[in-house]
Amino acid sequence: MSAAPVAPERPAWWVRLDWYHPEWTLGVVTVLAWAILVLAHGATSSGVVPVDGMPAMPGMDHGDAAASTAPTVSAWATGVGLWLVMAAAMMLPSLRTAMRTTSLTSRWNRRHRAAWLLAAGYLTVWAIPGLAVVTVLSVVPWTPPVWVTGVLLLVAAAWVATPVRRDSLAACHRTRRVPGQGRRADAACAREGVRLGLACVGTCWLIMLAATLATHDVLLMAVLTVVVVAEKVVEDRRRRLPAWTAGTLVVLAFGVFFL
Amino acid sequence: MTIVRREVWSLENEQAWHPILHAYALAVQEMRARPAHDPTSWRYQAAVHATTDRPDKFRNQCQHNSWFFLSWHRAYLHYFELIVRDIVKKLPDGEVDDETREGWALPYWGYDRGDAQRVLPPSFRQPTLRDGVTPNPLRIAQRDAGINAGTTRLTVGDASSVAALAETVFTSPPDGASTAFGGAKTPPNHFRESQLAVPGTLEIVPHGQVHNRVGPFMRSFDTAPLDPIFWLHHANIDNIWTRWGGPDPTDTAWLDQTFDFHDANGTPTTSTAEEVRETTSLGYLYDDAGPVPGPLEADMSPHERDVPDRPAELIGETADDITLAGNATRAAVAVGTPSGPLSTAEEAAPTRVYLTVDDVRGPVAPSITYNVYLHAPDQDPTTEDDFFVGPINFFGVEQTARADTDHGGLRFAFDITDLYQRLRDAGRWGDEMTVSFLPVEAETVPPDQRDDIGADQAEVAEAATEDLASAPVDVGRVGVYVQ
């Protein structure tokens, strides 16, 4: 009498997580980026760091302490770094679908490499407006009044209705299969990240600018992140999302004006 | 009362202008006369499938590349059938008999049943209705000339339901490679919102193949339902679902998903997959029951192996874009060995092997399709079938050229486990394989089998068909996955 076949042992949950959701590393990086933002916000609120609020940019007038602070290279570099942390916290989660798709359709031993090369290309694009904003604020000290953020949010809501924004968002949703091996594959992943980054800037530049100028408001940044991620990641009834986005941005704008 | 949907050629063989088809033609005529904003109009019903004009929760809602493909289209056909039947009931006595009036049911085009059925039915080619004067609403000019003339027909490969019926699971995880009968498990997916989804085997063939072969309206998402044969084609797809022996999903995400339609009065209504899972729940049956094996172009044996609980892993791919422009085209596929879960699995060989054709893009669908082969030793038609992977078609490819849509290109996945095994056994599976795309045109109907119906009007569309035949499309990548 032969023995009954033994079912193969089911791998541990974390093994299966890596099998089916290789983009889990994105979650780790996002959590770290938000932790830095929140900690930095706490530090600046308590006066430990002279730059008041996150992501406060060097040169921005942040009250008495900052008003006397002359722009320095280190402050500029810190500003750029903080911008990238903010971009990672707010924008990288929206890359989840693209990173997962690229991972699962790449050679197994390149899954994480492919996804993070894509993310690197994406963040490189976001670094460019960051450099511009930080540089401008370094040489032109300015504390934006709160209403500026509100106006930007209203303009962002109007931007949602434009064909350019609609096409940019559609481009954010598109993914392409990349070559499997070698430098050609690396380059293709980075190029795909750059393409997605450009599409994302076209979609979210006003939202990001509003978040940047709302120097004291981590909560606003969190809500805007949810809006951005929803538009990029949610597949179910996607065409309704722009209306929700515009409505949310209007509500946030009025919140900024009146709260 | 349960109505019976009958095969259209059986109606045609009973009599020319069978009352069911005559009533359908008159109903189409009536629907065309209704204003586009009327939910029971011809144009509105087409827009329910796809449109760029003010899409809402009713319009632009067709489901493809998804496990909702079958359930959504069944509900779509059901409400369309209610609208047509309502019109048929009100037709004058001289135009329709009482039996037809009470029991009108949408016929289906059973092209997977034999050579004769692969020809477009005569009622869709006749220039006029049975009075010999009124232009026939079932004949439209926007079809390929030979199809409309009855001089060409679907190929055996276009019409075959064998590969679909051989699938043992309804759905697959959206992993970019796994095949299934009904499509990948996705949220509602109009076209390609879900970036990892591939169409179910039934959606590729015969569904997409028949769309591609019939003509320019049928090849486009926005215009396909404007061809009256669309509805009979999808009734056959629905019929194949009823003949499939596998279990439908029991997942609440599938069962409870709602979709919006209008009934015969133009009143908004909703449907769920659970409500449409049984055709008797909707009040209809088909005139046949059980699997009907069709002729095979290739040896596609049933996939009776289990789907392993591990992800499919890419082990090979082409390096560059491939342009298909009407000629036989070959490309190298660099193949490696698995380094993922399969490399540590107890079994030595993969349980399943898939070949994917990804990111197919182009501004317009060519009228030809392509058969895909893996490592065929030559282009001798007598040997190629041993290396046949599957057919690719271009239904909806025009959507990929639009900036405002979400998709990067059409995607196809084929189970090539048997082919992989044959190549392994023959010592021909290596680190560089060749994938071939061979163009396939509509099959010429032998002269002694033609009925000449509609042939006199064929020349009008001939030139346009020729222009479209080799319209170029790009393939982004061909991949080989093991699981």
Side-chain angles (χ1 to χ4, degrees), chain A residues 10 16 19-20 105 107-108 166-167 170 173-178 180-181 184 235-239, chain B residues 60-61 187-188 190 195 257-258 309-310 314-315 317 320 334 340-341 359 404-407 411 477:
Chain A
R10 192 178 170 88
R16 293 174 59 78
W19 281 4
Y20 291 101
T105 57
R107 293 281 184 110
W108 193 269
R166 179 199 61 200
D167 293 353
H173 292 147
R174 288 196 284 272
T175 61
R176 293 173 187 157
R177 305 297 187 249
V178 294
Q181 308 171 80
R184 180 196 291 265
E235 294 170 2
D236 188 354
R237 314 280 170 149
R238 180 178 278 169
R239 72 201 68 177
Chain B
N60 204 40
Q61 292 296 318
H190 175 55
Q195 299 294 320
Q257 180 63 52
T258 60
D309 183 16
R310 58 178 174 251
L314 180 75
I315 62 163
E317 68 287 309
D320 299 305
D359 300 345
D404 62 341
T405 52
D406 294 343
H407 30 74
R411 289 174 182 140
R477 191 179 83 174

Side-chain angles (χ1 to χ4, degrees), chain B residues 45-335:
Chain B
Q45 283 296 305
V48 170
H49 191 264
T51 183
T52 54
D53 180 20
R54 292 165 291 153
D56 54 23
K57 69 176 184 176
F58 299 104
R59 290 178 288 189
N60 204 40
Q61 292 296 318
C62 66
Q63 297 294 302
H64 293 88
N65 306 287
S66 165
W67 63 342
F68 296 117
F69 166 67
L70 288 167
S71 56
W72 186 87
H73 280 88
R74 175 170 287 175
Y76 183 37
L77 259 62
H78 169 63
Y79 289 109
F80 174 80
E81 187 176 52
L82 292 182
I83 292 167
V84 173
R85 193 182 311 145
D86 186 63
I87 295 170
V88 169
K89 280 183 178 176
K90 296 168 185 167
L91 288 173
D93 285 343
E95 296 287 5
V96 62
D97 56 80
D98 288 344
E99 184 183 347
T100 303
R101 184 177 280 122
E102 292 307 314
W104 189 89
L106 183 65
Y108 64 97
W109 182 15
Y111 38 69
D112 54 335
R113 282 135 204 273
D115 291 347
Q117 284 86 350
R118 287 189 280 115
V119 180
L120 187 71
S123 295
F124 292 78
R125 291 184 274 124
Q126 295 277 13
T128 59
L129 290 178
R130 66 187 182 195
D131 63 8
V133 177
T134 310
N136 177 10
L138 302 185
R139 178 188 171 100
I140 63 168
Q142 294 85 357
R143 294 189 190 125
D144 288 348
I147 293 288
N148 237 3
T151 55
T152 62
R153 61 188 174 193
L154 310 175
T155 68
V156 173
D158 294 337
S160 175
S161 56
V162 173
L165 290 170
E167 290 286 0
T168 56
V169 292
F170 186 95
T171 191
S172 59
D175 60 7
S178 302
T179 64
F181 175 75
K185 183 176 180 178
T186 69
N189 197 64
H190 175 55
F191 187 38
R192 277 175 175 76
E193 293 92 323
S194 186
Q195 299 294 320
L196 281 162
V198 291
T201 302
L202 177 61
E203 192 179 338
I204 297 174
V205 54
H207 167 259
Q209 291 293 121
V210 174
H211 268 287
N212 205 125
R213 194 68 70 202
V214 171
F217 265 18
M218 279 283 276
R219 282 193 282 272
S220 165
F221 260 36
D222 291 2
T223 56
L226 293 173
D227 188 334
I229 199 63
F230 167 92
W231 305 91
L232 281 73
H233 166 41
H234 266 278
N236 194 47
I237 297 300
D238 187 62
N239 173 257
I240 294 169
W241 183 17
T242 68
R243 288 191 273 135
W244 181 60
D248 293 333
T250 54
D251 193 326
T252 54
W254 185 79
L255 293 170
D256 297 342
Q257 180 63 52
T258 60
F259 293 106
D260 298 284
F261 298 94
H262 291 89
D263 65 15
N265 300 316
T267 306
T269 184
T270 61
S271 269
T272 66
E274 183 163 29
E275 290 166 355
V276 305
R277 189 168 45 164
E278 299 292 337
T279 66
T280 48
S281 307
L282 300 174
Y284 71 90
L285 288 169
Y286 286 98
D287 62 357
D288 64 350
V292 180
L296 266 178
E297 180 174 283
D299 176 19
M300 289 181 171
S301 56
H303 311 142
E304 289 180 347
R305 55 192 74 83
D306 292 334
V307 180
D309 183 16
R310 58 178 174 251
E313 173 189 345
L314 180 75
I315 62 163
E317 68 287 309
T318 50
D320 299 305
D321 279 10
I322 303 162
T323 298
L324 304 177
N327 302 314
T329 306
R330 296 160 74 94
V333 181
V335 178

Side-chain angles (χ1 to χ4, degrees), chain A:
Chain A
M1 190 175 131
S2 60
V6 178
E9 190 175 340
R10 192 178 170 88
W13 69 267
W14 51 270
V15 173
R16 293 174 59 78
L17 175 72
D18 190 52
W19 281 4
Y20 291 101
H21 291 280
E23 80 283 10
W24 64 269
T25 52
L26 172 67
V28 174
V29 171
T30 302
V31 168
L32 282 174
W34 274 101
I36 292 170
L37 285 184
V38 172
L39 287 172
H41 180 259
T44 54
S45 296
S46 63
V48 176
V49 177
V51 178
D52 184 13
M54 277 295 299
M57 298 305 158
M60 203 182 277
D61 184 352
H62 299 291
D64 295 342
S68 60
T69 305
T72 65
V73 172
S74 66
W76 178 85
T78 302
V80 173
L82 292 177
W83 168 279
L84 284 174
V85 170
M86 188 175 77
M90 292 185 67
M91 295 296 162
L92 263 190
S94 72
L95 209 56
R96 174 185 173 271
T97 301
M99 289 178 72
R100 179 164 191 256
T101 301
T102 303
S103 284
L104 290 177
T105 57
S106 290
R107 293 281 184 110
W108 193 269
N109 56 4
R110 290 183 45 87
R111 298 192 316 156
H112 296 293
R113 177 190 179 101
W116 281 102
L117 280 168
L118 183 139
Y122 177 83
L123 281 178
T124 299
V125 173
W126 269 114
I128 294 167
L131 282 169
V133 169
V134 171
T135 302
V136 167
L137 292 176
S138 293
V139 297
V140 184
W142 179 51
T143 298
V146 170
W147 62 264
V148 172
T149 300
V151 168
L152 279 172
L153 289 170
L154 287 177
V155 176
W159 180 246
V160 169
T162 64
V164 174
R165 209 264 186 186
R166 179 199 61 200
D167 293 353
S168 297
L169 182 59
C172 289
H173 292 147
R174 288 196 284 272
T175 61
R176 293 173 187 157
R177 305 297 187 249
V178 294
Q181 308 171 80
R183 289 182 182 173
R184 180 196 291 265
D186 289 345
C189 290
R191 269 200 310 275
E192 183 69 357
V194 168
R195 183 188 67 78
L196 288 166
L198 290 170
C200 190
V201 168
T203 307
C204 300
W205 66 279
L206 279 162
I207 290 176
M208 194 67 167
L209 190 57
T212 303
L213 298 184
T215 55
H216 297 273
D217 207 334
V218 174
L219 180 60
L220 176 65
M221 290 166 57
V223 175
L224 291 174
T225 301
V226 171
V227 171
V228 168
V229 173
E231 278 206 304
K232 306 286 183 58
V233 173
V234 170
E235 294 170 2
D236 188 354
R237 314 280 170 149
R238 180 178 278 169
R239 72 201 68 177
R240 298 180 189 175
L241 283 169
W244 281 99
T245 299
T248 306
L249 291 172
V250 169
V251 169
L252 287 173
F254 281 96
V256 167
F257 285 138
F258 299 113
L259 295 180

